[in-house]
């Protein structure tokens, strides 16, 4: 029994009517111009009356995280620019409240199908075709955070080079949300991972945690630099750092290796030795999940991937990243901390 | 009538016997250790008696150029290391003098089929399977220089991205031997070329020459930097420079563009903005012709490519690069000048 269907209904009232809401208290984190997120984002509260047209779905969001790309979207520096006024947030999970002429039913869980659709809101009306139904027996936290980071991890492991059980991959920024998903999904696929992280005070604790998740090797940047010769030669490298750290991954790779950049945390470019390109035949590629989603549209490949991920979550093989749940009214410190590049637990709005 | 068959033969002497050489004056540029080419290369002269085994072919070289990779091979810094003592040189054209149990015939022209096989020699004995027969109605200079640079140009235009008539490509180091071949082969394929060269005293003359060869745009590095926005977006970039020059080609490329590195004349690495990799989906690849030849072996693709190139030469659509013919005994200044990275006419030994 999910959400509304658990309400006590007056005898004889038709269920679909009972689920209609004449007026609802809604909240959203809105911006009417691009700029510094803590300055342009405002918490809007209003009583809203929803009149659904055919094919439309009213949902209530359960949780939506704060991702770095959300910050860049509000700054106006991300390649996807929402129409203004916009609502912040690129992913999250919502529960269907009411539908009109849709196969979705109240209580169903859905993810937004469009990129940067504005998920920092309590309520929203969507066309059915822009929602993806997922199983609703997993944790809200996992459901709210699977669409971007675990999806990026899965696509990078599947789309660039055919990998077989026992093959090695290498990644930097390995304790990022994507990095942790890579470790878990690689383990499911029986791939071996070399994980590079920045040195820090609690490095031994971090290494132990990552190994418990399934990491085969965890090395600091300095340790990695000295270790490549003794380590197996990976076929795939995943780079979210750039600069010298990305170059090191080219050294690590074996012949014909593929180096995929999906982030640039160092703010430095991707740099590869000419000899690695020519004589070792390394390819440097880039990955952007928004492009993949756009290319796929709402086709079977996309739906299959989402259900692949939710099944991994249900099987306890894929976990959400460390999260820090907050209500909407604490958005300022959350945005400020994310803006500064804080690398701890990700903030997640719980509605 | 070619080579030996033009000799006057004593009446009644069988032609194949007449072509046998009991003892021949030979010359070769040999090195017995890796090191500075001008120090380790020695001109060896000797009377040699050739006794062919079945399947073997005696050839006389007609011309062999001095390529930068030949220098690196002698230095021992190239990934292909010949057995010592070795003979310098990676390409050249030879005429068949004598054969034993081979389909090749005296007067046939052949190219060596193995990489860095030592072509700076007057005579050599090869297994038939390691020689590629070419048409012998083209210039010795073109024949001697087609196997490396024009082949690199052709493979890069055909193997990385499907190009259609009217598509644009961009290249730096465009007046290199490969660059000039790219211009001519692109013209044959009805592709448009943006050609970037370093600024120099006679820049207008160089631009005019390159345009006469078929270049659509010729720009200095500085001009190119300001021009990308107004130029068509190329689908393929060919980089033999690296560093900032290679990075500029990423700016020039259109979405999904492919950037191929085949040299690093600046001695700087390949550098690409993270945003170009992720949001513009640029791929960075490398090309090494020796790898391609090795992968192909002596199969039809390879033989087809060589005959494609010789046909382009015969049709006057593909010309040799500027060449400076010298005899073997002038090898020292030739090696010294090539070693310094001299970018004028390429030295070619004429035997």
């Amino acid at each position: 029994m999910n959400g509304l269907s658990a309400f006590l209904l007056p005898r004889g009232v038709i269920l679909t009517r009972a689920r209609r809401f004449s007026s609802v208290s809604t909240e959203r984190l809105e911006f009417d111009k691009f700029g510094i997120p803590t300055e342009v984002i405002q918490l809007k509260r209003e009583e809203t009356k929803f009149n659904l047209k055919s094919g439309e779905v009213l949902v209530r969001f359960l949780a939506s995280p704060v991702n770095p790309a959300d910050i860049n979207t509000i700054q106006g520096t991300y390649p996807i620019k929402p129409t203004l006024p916009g609502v912040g947030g690129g992913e999250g999970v919502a529960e269907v409240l009411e539908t009109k002429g849709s196969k979705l039913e109240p209580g169903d869980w859905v993810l937004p199908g469009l990129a940067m659709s504005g998920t920092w809101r309590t309520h929203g009306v969507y066309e059915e075709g822009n929602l993806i139904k997922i199983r609703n027996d997993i944790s809200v936290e996992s459901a709210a955070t699977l669409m971007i980071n675990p999806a990026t991890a899965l696509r990078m492991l599947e789309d660039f080079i055919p990998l077989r059980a026992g093959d090695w991959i290498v990644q930097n920024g390995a304790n990022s949300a994507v990095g942790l998903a890579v470790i878990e999904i690689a383990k499911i696929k029986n791939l071996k991972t070399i994980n590079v992280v920045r040195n820090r005070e609690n490095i031994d604790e971090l290494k132990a945690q990552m190994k418990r998740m399934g990491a085969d090797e965890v090395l600091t940047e300095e340790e990695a630099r000295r270790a490549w010769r003794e380590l197996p030669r990976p076929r795939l490298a995943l780079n979210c750092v750039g600069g010298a750290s990305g170059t090191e991954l080219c050294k690590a790779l074996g012949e014909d290796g593929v180096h995929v950049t999906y982030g640039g945390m160092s703010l430095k470019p991707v740099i590869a030795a000419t000899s690695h390109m020519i004589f070792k035949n390394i390819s440097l590629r880039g990955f952007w999940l928004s492009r993949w989603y756009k290319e796929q549209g709402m086709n079977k490949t996309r739906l299959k991937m989402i259900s692949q991920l939710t099944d991994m979550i249900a099987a306890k093989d894929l976990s959400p990243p460390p999260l820090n749940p907050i209500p909407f009214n604490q958005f300022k410190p959350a945005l400020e901390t994310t803006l500064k590049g804080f690398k701890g637990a990700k903030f997640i709005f719980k509605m």
Side-chain angles (χ1 to χ4, degrees), chain A:
Chain A
M1 298 278 271
N2 265 295
L4 290 178
S5 48
F7 286 0
L8 285 177
L9 296 168
R11 191 184 169 87
V13 171
I14 300 164
L15 196 63
T16 51
R17 282 188 62 89
R19 280 170 178 156
R20 294 237 165 96
F21 297 79
S22 49
S23 180
V24 191
S25 291
T26 66
E27 289 183 0
R28 61 187 186 277
L29 292 172
E30 194 174 281
F31 57 110
D32 55 12
K33 60 182 176 201
F34 297 109
I36 301 168
T38 46
E39 292 177 11
V40 298
I41 285 279
Q42 290 184 304
L43 176 53
K44 293 280 175 83
R45 289 194 177 93
E46 59 189 26
E47 291 293 309
T48 313
K49 199 177 171 202
F50 295 104
N51 289 307
L52 299 186
K53 292 180 216 146
S54 178
E56 283 186 342
V57 181
L58 171 64
V59 306
R60 182 176 75 86
F61 273 89
L62 305 173
S64 306
V66 179
N67 285 312
D70 303 338
I71 300 290
N72 303 139
T73 302
I74 298 162
Q75 290 169 323
T77 58
Y78 201 65
I80 297 175
K81 290 200 171 45
T83 317
L84 296 177
V87 172
E91 68 173 338
V93 63
E95 182 186 48
V96 172
L97 291 186
E98 188 185 342
T99 68
K100 194 164 182 180
S102 158
K103 268 178 262 169
L104 289 169
E105 289 179 14
D108 282 349
W109 280 14
V110 290
L111 305 181
L114 298 176
M116 290 301 166
S117 59
T119 56
W120 300 345
R121 58 167 92 230
T122 55
H123 294 76
V125 174
Y126 294 82
E127 287 179 28
E128 179 187 17
N130 290 331
L131 293 173
I132 299 165
K133 182 180 167 182
I134 62 165
R135 58 195 289 172
N136 58 9
D137 60 351
I138 58 178
S139 78
V140 163
E141 288 76 10
S142 284
T145 56
L146 74 85
M147 206 181 93
I148 295 180
N149 294 317
T152 297
L154 182 59
R155 292 271 55 87
M156 293 196 298
L157 289 174
E158 293 197 346
D159 292 352
F160 287 91
I161 193 165
L163 292 168
R164 282 174 305 190
D167 280 345
W168 285 80
I169 67 160
V170 63
Q171 62 170 340
N172 59 19
N175 61 324
S176 67
V178 172
L180 296 176
V182 164
I183 291 170
E184 291 188 304
I185 298 173
K187 198 184 169 196
I188 296 168
K189 292 176 171 285
N190 286 310
L191 303 171
K192 302 278 192 182
T193 57
I194 302 171
N195 300 278
V196 183
V197 295
R198 281 181 303 181
N199 202 1
R200 62 197 72 207
E201 267 186 24
N202 63 344
I203 183 70
D204 290 335
E205 198 188 310
L206 178 67
K207 285 185 178 184
Q209 275 172 15
M210 291 173 68
K211 289 199 170 177
R212 277 196 299 274
M213 289 180 74
D216 295 286
E217 299 282 351
V218 186
L219 303 162
T220 64
E221 296 275 359
E222 297 70 28
E223 288 168 345
R225 205 158 290 156
R226 293 189 301 267
W228 297 136
R229 278 167 188 273
E230 287 129 52
L231 287 166
R233 289 287 182 193
R235 302 188 57 217
L236 179 70
L238 306 178
N239 167 44
C240 64
V241 181
S245 173
T247 311
E248 283 297 310
L249 300 189
C250 294
K251 285 191 202 160
L253 279 172
E255 208 149 298
D256 303 325
V258 177
H259 179 287
V260 180
T261 291
Y262 68 97
M265 291 198 297
S266 71
L267 303 180
K268 291 189 180 126
V270 179
I271 306 166
T274 301
S275 61
H276 287 155
M277 305 288 306
I278 298 179
F279 303 129
K280 211 161 79 168
N281 199 30
I282 302 298
S283 304
L284 301 183
R285 310 277 300 274
F287 182 72
W288 188 29
L289 185 70
S290 296
R291 171 188 295 267
W292 188 86
Y293 275 135
K294 199 176 169 192
E295 283 169 359
Q296 294 301 320
M298 282 292 192
N299 73 7
K300 277 188 193 166
T301 311
R302 178 183 186 147
L303 303 179
K304 192 186 142 205
M305 180 187 70
I306 297 291
S307 91
Q308 228 179 320
L309 290 171
T310 51
D311 289 351
M312 289 176 187
I313 292 165
K316 310 276 183 222
D317 291 330
L318 181 61
S319 39
L323 292 170
N324 186 358
I326 50 165
F328 275 150
N329 63 18
Q330 281 178 37
F331 73 91
K332 277 210 178 168
L335 295 181
E336 202 154 26
T337 311
T338 308
L339 196 52
K340 281 183 190 152
F342 175 65
K343 295 290 181 292
K346 191 190 284 283
F347 291 96
I348 185 166
F349 295 117
K350 293 287 287 280
M351 292 74 164

